[in-house]
Amino acid sequence: MLSASSKFMAHLRSPHTRLARVGVWLPVGGVYEFRGYVGVVAGSLSLDGTRQVRRQVSGLQVASLESTLGVRSTAAAARDDIAALTTEAARLVVEWGIRFPDLSEEWVPVATVRVEETTLDSITGALTVASALDLGAIVTDATIIVPFVPYVGAVPMTVLAAIRALVDDAYPQGQAPEWSVDPRVDAVRLVPEGTVLVGDRWTAIQNFASALNVDVFCDHAGVWQVRPIEQSRTVAWMVSPGSDGVLVGEVSTFTRRDTFNAAGVRWESPDGLSGLVFVTDDDPLSPTFWQGPFGKKPRPEETNQTIVSEEQARARAVTLLAASQGRARGIALTALHMPLLEPGDVVGVLLPNGTAERHVIDSIALPLGPGGTMTMQTRLVRGGVTYNEPGVVYEDSRFTYSGGAS
């Protein structure tokens, strides 16, 4: 979950004025320069943790040019800025704000995106950003044409260095991506001997990420993250009905689609050893228990040239199985706005019938214009469905602001 002040958090559950704006950044001599803010009239931000490019802004309508970008430049120059949005790979920083009863404001950046398509009405001056994607789109565009050989001279790179090189090489000359690497990530494991990569750059990155059992993505601030794949069990936000709650609607889904109860991963070492690691859902209380009425439904077997040991294959298989468990029980939640949530966060859901469950968020759709509600697609967190367990936070101090109502 993104960070904000306790005052911001508290007022999400109480009356407040919601604000949204977009900061426009244009490249000047290889360096991005801030050109001003534009107010948001309409649009939406979608976040999907199952995709390589996780954030997308769609249908973004902004206020008139003269009253926004024109604050920092003349109206004519502002129009030139708009024309350059797509052709010059402009970046937008989407910010969500709250105006408190004391008229003070707090803003939180929720997405950094590259403009993909715009339309401009020459009569009214109305601008619409039809599509803008997070900076992972830079990697999507940069197909590997010249074979990528992860060696420095005769010395193989580490897997982590290879991941970083694949991203770095995709960026335009003079622009370097920012990185944040979790200290728990294995920074010494070497790439397998003879590795040569061509074609889709994201596929190459994901193959290396699988070997380290890490998640690689571009975050809300445009920073590249490398983190161990793990499932949090701590509730980040409560979604409940009632006068003091934020739950507006709930639709439960029970499905077998994309739900598996076993995963197999093959490995092969440079000295010719090989094998298959196969893990199953062995929890008799699980709705997808391997020996239960759900039946036996393994994921398609995975083979990855960067996985060279049984230990690596087992870690990958466990991760794959964990990602597909819980999908048999999903909820589409409609709630009041909570712009700090991200895919992978765990929400506590108190259903109208009194049932309390923990769900991990897969995707979020957040309106940027006035009105509307936020929707989340979630799946049940494995390992119990109530909050009456040790180590589970039902509600914590982050949701209580002690400074009064203003």
Side-chain angles (χ1 to χ4, degrees):
M1 187 169 70
L2 305 182
S3 61
S5 72
S6 58
K7 182 177 180 179
F8 187 101
M9 298 286 288
H11 278 77
L12 289 171
R13 294 180 179 272
S14 60
H16 63 271
T17 301
R18 177 166 61 89
L19 308 169
R21 67 185 182 187
V22 174
V24 179
W25 296 73
L26 291 178
V28 178
V31 178
Y32 275 86
E33 179 181 283
F34 180 59
R35 304 304 292 269
Y37 286 108
V38 293
V40 174
V41 176
S44 64
L45 170 65
S46 61
L47 302 88
D48 192 333
T50 66
R51 296 181 179 179
Q52 296 160 341
V53 178
R54 299 193 171 186
R55 285 173 166 80
Q56 178 173 359
V57 172
S58 303
L60 182 69
Q61 298 178 26
V62 301
S64 62
L65 302 181
E66 289 73 19
S67 65
T68 52
L69 287 177
V71 171
R72 281 180 166 261
S73 59
T74 66
R79 191 170 295 277
D80 290 340
D81 286 345
I82 295 301
L85 283 181
T86 306
T87 57
E88 296 187 13
R91 294 181 185 177
L92 306 179
V93 178
V94 182
E95 297 184 7
W96 184 284
I98 286 181
R99 181 177 295 126
F100 303 110
D102 63 5
L103 301 184
S104 64
E105 297 178 357
E106 181 176 348
W107 292 89
V108 177
V110 294
T112 300
V113 292
R114 185 187 71 180
V115 176
E116 303 293 318
E117 182 181 352
T118 62
T119 61
L120 177 64
D121 189 316
S122 59
I123 304 299
T124 65
L127 170 72
T128 299
V129 178
S131 176
L133 305 174
D134 74 37
L135 304 190
I138 296 174
V139 170
T140 302
D141 288 348
T143 301
I144 303 173
I145 303 300
V146 177
F148 176 78
V149 182
Y151 278 72
V152 179
V155 180
M157 291 181 176
T158 65
V159 175
L160 178 59
I163 291 172
R164 295 187 60 158
L166 284 166
V167 174
D168 292 348
D169 291 349
Y171 272 62
Q173 186 175 3
Q175 297 178 22
E178 295 183 62
W179 287 91
S180 176
V181 179
D182 190 292
R184 295 171 294 171
V185 173
D186 186 343
V188 298
R189 182 179 300 171
L190 301 178
V191 298
E193 183 179 350
T195 300
V196 179
L197 302 168
V198 294
D200 184 75
R201 189 174 296 266
W202 261 117
T203 298
I205 292 170
Q206 294 300 335
N207 284 343
F208 283 133
S210 297
L212 296 182
N213 203 34
V214 298
D215 197 9
V216 180
F217 64 96
C218 196
D219 71 7
H220 70 287
V223 177
W224 284 87
Q225 300 284 341
V226 184
R227 302 176 183 172
I229 297 176
E230 56 189 3
Q231 177 59 68
S232 171
R233 295 176 61 83
T234 301
V235 174
W237 184 249
M238 282 297 301
V239 181
S240 58
S243 58
D244 60 346
V246 297
L247 181 64
V248 177
E250 173 264 328
V251 177
S252 297
T253 301
F254 299 87
T255 180
R256 295 179 62 89
R257 186 177 60 187
D258 296 328
T259 302
F260 304 95
N261 55 6
V265 176
R266 289 197 175 275
W267 61 276
E268 183 174 358
S269 67
D271 55 8
L273 297 176
S274 63
L276 170 68
V277 172
F278 189 79
V279 296
T280 64
D281 182 352
D282 59 0
D283 179 2
L285 299 180
S286 169
T288 55
F289 179 45
W290 178 250
Q291 299 291 349
F294 180 84
K296 298 179 178 180
K297 187 182 178 186
R299 287 177 57 96
E301 183 181 294
E302 179 174 298
T303 301
N304 184 338
Q305 64 172 319
T306 64
I307 296 179
V308 296
S309 71
E310 182 176 356
E311 178 187 6
Q312 294 174 24
R314 182 171 299 281
R316 178 60 177 167
V318 169
T319 297
L320 290 173
L321 180 59
S324 55
Q325 287 179 303
R327 294 188 184 277
R329 169 78 167 87
I331 292 182
L333 296 171
T334 303
L336 299 184
H337 309 115
M338 195 341 185
L340 307 180
L341 288 174
E342 297 188 284
D345 286 340
V346 174
V347 291
V349 182
L350 184 61
L351 301 176
N353 64 4
T355 301
E357 296 181 343
R358 281 174 299 165
H359 280 249
V360 61
I361 300 172
D362 284 330
S363 62
I364 300 171
L366 184 68
L368 298 176
T373 53
M374 178 179 72
T375 59
M376 296 181 284
Q377 187 64 50
T378 73
R379 52 189 163 86
L380 187 67
V381 173
R382 294 286 298 110
V385 297
T386 72
Y387 292 93
N388 301 318
E389 296 181 311
V392 176
V393 179
Y394 190 101
E395 189 79 288
D396 67 30
S397 58
R398 288 178 298 172
F399 307 127
T400 302
Y401 174 59
S402 59
S406 62

